[in-house]
Amino acid sequence: MELVDWILNNSKRLSLNVEKYRWIDEWLPGYFDYAVEIIIQGIKYRGRGVDKIEKIAFEKACAESLERASTDLNNLCQNRWGTAAYINLPGARERAYWELLGIDKVLCHHFCKRKMKAIPIDILSEYVDILRLNRLLVKNNISFRFYELSPVIDAKIVCAISHKQDSEIKGFISGFGANKDIKKACLSALFESLRTLVVCFFDNYKLDKPMEQLRKEGQPLWHFCKAQEKESLDYLNTYLIPDKEETVLLIPENISIDDVKFKELSYIKGIFPDIPLFFVQAKSDKLLTPQFGDFLPDEKTMKRLEIFNGGPVQISTSVPHFYG
């Protein structure tokens, strides 16, 4: 059974609520952005999905909401990252690996103060009307750039960084993507960044929780908000963003999906035995265990940072990392 059919057949049981966003009609015409909210065991879970095919955008949002439910149901409260849901097990494993890899690379570049490599936005010319997008960015006084992070044998990692000169937000908005294909990694980063910057730069976005509570709870949202402060943009520009004429050479690390262990998250299948998705979590001794909130440089973390840096590293925690 296809996921869309399963979702619709179980819509009442899931208390399914669907929202179709219209911002994308202006910024990325031809694409669709769906938000899906479900309720399982009395708790709400929300997912988003963007794609050029409307059905797939809806399915992506459904899969993400169910993935978030799965991490709760499998009691992953302390470390719910590096997870994915997909229609087959190899695909779920690959996507969980990509998420873990993206977090690792952002933290490594941030704490080791290693420059990223600029990527021209027209790398996405086969997927997006770049001239139209650039006109919108210029019209709204938004600086938007792609940067590649240190790759591995079988994957590319990309972040999108945007800043609006005349905004109350003095820092930046980011989006992330990882994939075997660098163009698809950029596309993921574009989706994630644009749908966020539209809200942050043009709507009166308010937090549901105080910042201090987000920090204590170790929420990625705290990092997302801290990145919007001037100190974060200054740190980024000083240590991670290359100068216009600077050449950055990124040498792939000897890391691949073969270095990752996967745990299947099966609890949700006890509730929905016929759910057409696989849920997994990725972990690796070669990659950082994701950390959010106060950064605790334990022995494993320091060893990973020193390997990435090629020697001893003096980290500063005064500015939080920007993966959020």
Side-chain angles (χ1 to χ4, degrees), residues 122-256:
D122 60 10
I123 191 174
L124 290 181
S125 57
E126 66 181 278
Y127 296 102
V128 175
D129 185 341
I130 297 298
L131 288 177
R132 188 182 191 282
L133 178 58
N134 271 327
R135 282 198 297 269
L136 268 173
L137 293 168
V138 171
K139 175 185 174 183
N140 289 284
N141 204 20
I142 296 172
S143 168
F144 186 97
R145 299 288 185 271
F146 287 123
Y147 296 96
E148 183 183 2
L149 290 80
S150 171
V152 294
I153 294 172
D154 57 355
K156 304 285 189 180
I157 305 93
V158 170
C159 70
I161 301 292
S162 58
H163 172 64
K164 193 174 190 316
Q165 297 290 342
D166 54 357
S167 172
E168 292 183 2
I169 296 172
K170 301 308 177 184
F172 61 95
I173 304 295
S174 56
F176 307 95
N179 200 290
K180 290 179 289 189
D181 182 338
I182 194 168
K183 293 181 181 180
K184 291 181 179 178
C186 286
L187 193 61
S188 295
L190 177 72
F191 293 156
E192 191 172 283
S193 181
L194 281 184
R195 73 187 188 192
T196 307
L197 73 82
V198 167
V199 172
C200 291
F201 290 152
F202 303 108
D203 289 342
N204 189 23
Y205 174 72
K206 299 294 184 183
L207 290 172
D208 293 332
K209 296 180 180 180
M211 283 283 285
E212 183 62 16
Q213 185 177 347
L214 294 173
R215 182 189 66 79
K216 288 181 178 179
E217 292 177 357
Q219 295 287 351
L221 183 57
W222 182 70
H223 294 264
F224 171 75
C225 294
K226 292 297 286 184
Q228 295 174 37
E229 298 178 358
K230 182 179 182 298
E231 291 78 9
S232 290
L233 182 61
D234 290 344
Y235 186 98
L236 186 83
N237 284 330
T238 301
Y239 298 115
L240 275 71
I241 301 298
D243 297 330
K244 287 186 178 180
E245 304 302 322
E246 187 175 1
T247 300
V248 177
L249 180 63
L250 299 176
I251 300 174
E253 286 194 282
N254 186 27
I255 295 172
S256 75

Side-chain angles (χ1 to χ4, degrees), residues 62 115 227 249 283:
C62 293
K115 295 290 180 73
L249 180 63
K283 294 184 178 181

Side-chain angles (χ1 to χ4, degrees), residues 20-177:
K20 184 178 180 181
Y21 288 107
R22 293 299 181 185
W23 70 269
I24 205 163
D25 296 336
E26 178 183 7
W27 287 87
L28 292 175
Y31 283 87
F32 300 89
D33 180 10
Y34 274 92
V36 164
E37 185 179 86
I38 60 174
I39 300 176
I40 298 179
Q41 295 185 351
I43 301 175
K44 291 181 180 180
Y45 300 98
R46 189 174 174 85
R48 290 282 291 272
V50 177
D51 201 272
K52 208 160 193 174
I53 299 173
E54 188 168 12
K55 174 187 169 186
I56 294 178
F58 173 68
E59 289 183 330
K60 284 180 177 180
C62 293
E64 185 173 272
S65 65
L66 288 162
E67 173 200 334
R68 289 176 175 172
S70 182
T71 61
D72 267 8
L73 294 168
N74 279 270
N75 197 28
L76 301 182
C77 297
Q78 297 304 313
N79 185 12
R80 63 180 65 228
W81 323 116
T83 60
Y86 198 64
I87 55 174
N88 58 56
L89 191 55
R93 287 174 173 169
E94 189 169 52
R95 284 157 180 78
Y97 164 55
W98 289 341
E99 179 177 293
L100 182 65
L101 193 59
I103 297 172
D104 170 271
K105 292 296 185 173
V106 169
L107 270 63
C108 282
H109 276 268
H110 178 86
F111 288 113
C112 295
K113 300 178 179 177
R114 295 282 293 276
K115 295 290 180 73
M116 305 180 292
K117 181 180 179 181
I119 305 172
I121 194 172
D122 60 10
I123 191 174
L124 290 181
S125 57
E126 66 181 278
Y127 296 102
V128 175
D129 185 341
I130 297 298
L131 288 177
R132 188 182 191 282
L133 178 58
N134 271 327
R135 282 198 297 269
L136 268 173
L137 293 168
V138 171
K139 175 185 174 183
N140 289 284
N141 204 20
I142 296 172
S143 168
F144 186 97
R145 299 288 185 271
F146 287 123
Y147 296 96
E148 183 183 2
L149 290 80
S150 171
V152 294
I153 294 172
D154 57 355
K156 304 285 189 180
I157 305 93
V158 170
C159 70
I161 301 292
S162 58
H163 172 64
K164 193 174 190 316
Q165 297 290 342
D166 54 357
S167 172
E168 292 183 2
I169 296 172
K170 301 308 177 184
F172 61 95
I173 304 295
S174 56
F176 307 95

